[in-house]
Amino acid sequence: MRKSQQLLACLVLLIVILTPSLNVALALPPLAAGTFPTGTLIVPMDDKQADRIRVYGFIHEFLRTRSDAELARVIEPPDVTMQTSLTPSGAVYQGGPFLIDQRFLANVNSLLSTPDFNKVTVTKLTAAFTSNRIFFVRQPTTILVIKGVFGRTDITLNAMRINYTIIDPSTVEKNPSIINRYSLVVVDCPGWYGNPTSYSANRRAKIETIYETIKSHVQAGNEVIFTDIALRDLNATFPGYVQLAPGGSGSWPATVYNPPNPAGTFAAEFPSQYYNAGPNPNSVNIVTEGGGWVVSGVDSARKSDVRILMDTTKFGVPFRYAILGFYFEFGSGIVEGLALHPQQQTPVGSKGFYAVAQIYGNKFVHGPQI
């Protein structure tokens, strides 16, 4: 074999060997380093932020203002210290603050002048800031909510002022390709109940097509979220990751993780950014409804893949373990499950309310970076 042929063969072999790991890396892009000069706009995400709900809508709308809009997010932990106009002597900023180049000041001020975002806190760096834990965001998430009867993600997104499209499940059955127009798809409870045998053969075939479309769409670098009973659709589309169990009605003490997974086996990533005020900031109460589903465990073959965002050891009567929020990479994208109805996490302003809003609010860019 000539040297050129040998070289080509080696390159082909290398690509084949590396392809699986490259796909995984694209789902959660590696963090980058960045230095930000004095005057850079800072959007706090902790107790320095006056509107910890609409701030996510503000970020989403900023990314929609112009085609070259971009920003950076600090991925924590660890927490970072910054000197800003708000804290000139320096202070710890938690929850993953955003940084926006001052050339976008006019766009930021335009949004801050609107009734939706006039309470959002934005300050400026008074000293340069450097970090090697930066996630650059260069495009807004486009969101499709497949309307649920019990799960109502639209109510949560409305509260956050995040733009989305909502359609009935029957519309998706008629045209599954609509899924491919959005970077984030939410299948709200009850979804299609995991496509039970009680459905007609024709309808079952249509739902199978939807599952395959979602699967391919995520593999290409997008994201899907399933809530409560729609977790059965998650298991039908991505089998072999988690085990489901019947849920129950009540309010349960739970723990939120950042980084994800109680064993600490995963690094902090943008889906898991989290802040709540003390005391016991990671302790929240999560409301669930009778007739729903929770995750009782992770398949043994997937222990190193599934990131646990939120779980509890005191679910139901008698108490048992349950995973209430989780995600895993699939191809170049992300699959997420929430064993709850987003809109039921009340009262407004409670830790559970903020925790669920943050899980949704962390959705800005998915898959390969531009």
Side-chain angles (χ1 to χ4, degrees), residues 54 102 109 122 127 146 149 167 216 241 337 343:
R54 294 190 184 182
Q102 55 190 317
N109 284 339
V122 178
I146 300 175
V149 177
I167 59 176
S216 298
Y241 282 87
Q343 82 284 0

Side-chain angles (χ1 to χ4, degrees), residues 128-359:
F129 170 75
T130 299
S131 172
N132 62 358
R133 298 189 58 77
I134 298 297
F135 178 69
F136 286 100
V137 186
R138 298 186 176 94
Q139 64 189 69
T141 306
T142 52
I143 303 172
L144 176 67
V145 177
I146 300 175
K147 188 176 181 179
V149 177
F150 311 111
R152 294 290 305 278
T153 289
D154 56 302
I155 294 175
T156 296
L157 296 179
N158 287 343
M160 300 163 74
R161 299 302 193 267
I162 291 181
N163 184 274
Y164 65 94
T165 299
I166 187 166
I167 59 176
D168 289 322
S170 59
T171 302
V172 188
E173 291 177 33
K174 294 174 184 176
N175 181 22
S177 66
I178 195 172
I179 289 167
N180 296 323
R181 302 176 192 172
Y182 299 86
S183 54
L184 169 62
V185 177
V186 181
V187 183
D188 253 335
C189 174
W192 289 277
Y193 295 91
N195 204 3
T197 55
S198 59
Y199 289 165
S200 68
N202 181 54
R203 192 178 185 206
R204 284 182 57 80
K206 290 180 179 179
I207 296 170
E208 286 295 333
T209 300
I210 293 170
Y211 290 165
E212 287 303 314
T213 303
I214 290 174
K215 190 173 181 178
S216 298
H217 195 51
V218 173
Q219 191 165 31
N222 300 285
E223 182 170 358
V224 61
I225 300 175
F226 300 86
T227 69
D228 203 6
I229 294 174
L231 289 172
R232 295 175 65 181
D233 297 304
L234 182 153
N235 265 8
T237 310
F238 305 95
Y241 282 87
V242 296
Q243 298 137 10
L244 301 184
S249 178
S251 179
W252 319 107
T255 302
V256 180
Y257 300 98
N258 180 27
N261 191 304
T265 54
F266 296 104
E269 300 153 339
F270 73 92
S272 65
Q273 291 304 283
Y274 169 79
Y275 167 83
N276 254 326
N280 304 317
N282 292 87
S283 297
V284 302
N285 283 321
I286 295 297
V287 176
T288 61
E289 196 171 289
W293 291 83
V294 296
V295 176
S296 57
V298 177
D299 189 277
S300 58
R302 296 293 185 180
K303 293 288 186 182
S304 60
D305 297 322
V306 177
R307 282 94 155 143
I308 299 171
L309 283 172
M310 185 163 49
D311 65 3
T312 177
T313 58
K314 296 182 177 180
F315 184 84
V317 181
F319 290 152
R320 53 193 169 96
Y321 178 73
I323 298 169
L324 302 175
F326 65 94
Y327 65 99
F328 55 86
E329 297 174 65
F330 184 83
S332 297
I334 299 171
V335 179
E336 190 163 346
L338 298 175
L340 49 87
H341 297 153
Q343 82 284 0
Q344 289 183 335
Q345 308 319 306
T346 54
V348 172
S350 68
K351 289 182 180 178
F353 174 80
Y354 280 123
V356 171
Q358 288 171 75
I359 287 172

